[in-house]
Amino acid sequence: MSTSLRHQESPAPSRSAKTDRALSPAVWLIPVSLLIAAGCCLTIDLPVARFFHAGHYPGFLRELVENTEPFGHGIGVVLLLTSLALVHREQSLRYVTAGAIALGAGLCTNVIKFTYGRTRPRDLELAGADFADTFTGWLPVLQDIGGSQSFPSGHTTVAWALAVVLTQLFPTGRGLFFTLAVFVAYGRVQCGAHYPSDVFAGAALGWTVATLVLNYGPARVRAIMSDPISSTSEPRLTITPDSHSQAA
């Protein structure tokens, strides 16, 4: 009897305690690989920018990226997660937290943008430019240099951070979320807002910020985001034939 009571009185592990675990080193292979790719792309940034500036791509790609861009845009993220919160109200706090993490990651890009400037492809005379011409130097805001907020890509950072937090909530949607994040990154290069190295760096930043917050952030945030949202948490509407229809 006493053994049974001791077993019943033993406290269950808290949700925040579940997240107090060391991350596998393999988790960091993705951001490291993205940063390596960003470095490799520095040599092709201008040729790629010239290619898209000349419009050498199928027209349907323009429509594709225009319709996927909201996944990495602040307003789009707010509208998406607000809609989810309204239809899934018992999980609204989790959606708000997910949005805050994604948008917070996007704000981190501003620290880099305001520290060291890089001219966007669409604001640069690409024909005669070289690699050094894309960078404008330290603290471009103080120098009143317009168009020097190319590095890293804020849209891509937000999209990849959002993909990470949504995967935490809906693991089965991982493929869809990261596909959308890739389209956002591609679209930023296609429209001349960023170079390839900018979007790879933004993807690495988004992944890193979201992963760090989910695993080492405030205990309250980790507790809110600790478990996936069950697809069976909502009661399902079932329609059964009445006795009259069965008799007929």
Side-chain angles (χ1 to χ4, degrees):
M1 183 67 176
S2 60
T3 302
S4 176
L5 287 175
R6 283 197 301 269
H7 175 72
Q8 293 175 2
E9 293 171 358
S10 59
S14 64
R15 296 178 68 190
S16 60
K18 295 180 186 178
T19 58
D20 292 329
R21 60 184 185 277
L23 285 174
S24 167
V27 171
W28 303 114
L29 288 178
I30 291 180
V32 170
S33 299
L34 290 168
L35 286 176
I36 292 174
C40 294
C41 283
L42 290 173
T43 59
I44 64 169
D45 277 346
L46 282 172
V48 171
R50 294 187 185 107
F51 173 85
F52 284 110
H53 181 73
H56 297 311
Y57 55 86
F60 77 89
L61 287 177
R62 182 184 299 276
E63 295 184 11
L64 177 64
V65 299
E66 286 177 353
N67 285 283
T68 55
E69 182 185 1
F71 193 78
H73 193 284
I75 296 177
V77 172
V78 170
L79 291 176
L80 170 64
L81 294 176
T82 299
S83 299
L84 288 172
L86 289 175
V87 300
H88 209 183
R89 293 189 179 182
E90 72 279 7
Q91 301 290 348
S92 59
L93 183 58
R94 305 185 75 181
Y95 294 126
V96 171
T97 303
I101 294 173
L103 296 178
L107 290 176
C108 291
T109 63
N110 291 333
V111 177
I112 304 175
K113 288 176 184 288
F114 296 151
T115 300
Y116 198 78
R118 192 180 196 193
T119 305
R120 297 182 186 272
R122 62 191 178 201
D123 297 323
L124 184 68
E125 187 60 45
L126 294 172
D130 58 23
F131 172 76
D133 293 332
T134 66
F135 292 95
T136 59
W138 298 100
L139 301 175
V141 175
L142 298 182
Q143 301 178 50
D144 194 26
I145 302 175
S148 44
Q149 295 183 348
S150 182
F151 181 84
S153 168
H155 281 69
T156 306
T157 301
V158 170
W160 276 71
L162 183 61
V164 170
V165 294
L166 288 181
T167 296
Q168 175 73 9
L169 298 179
F170 305 101
T172 57
R174 178 185 291 107
L176 171 62
F177 303 142
F178 282 102
T179 297
L180 290 172
V182 169
F183 279 132
V184 170
Y186 166 78
R188 302 307 288 165
V189 177
Q190 178 181 281
C191 73
H194 295 283
Y195 304 95
S197 59
D198 298 336
V199 299
F200 277 110
L205 181 61
W207 175 285
T208 300
V209 171
T211 301
L212 288 176
V213 172
L214 289 176
N215 291 275
Y216 302 111
R220 175 62 174 163
V221 173
R222 288 182 283 128
I224 292 171
M225 300 293 293
S226 62
D227 298 317
I229 294 177
S230 173
S231 60
T232 59
S233 60
E234 289 276 354
R236 296 185 178 181
L237 175 64
T238 58
I239 301 176
T240 56
D242 56 28
S243 58
H244 295 289
S245 62
Q246 287 179 345

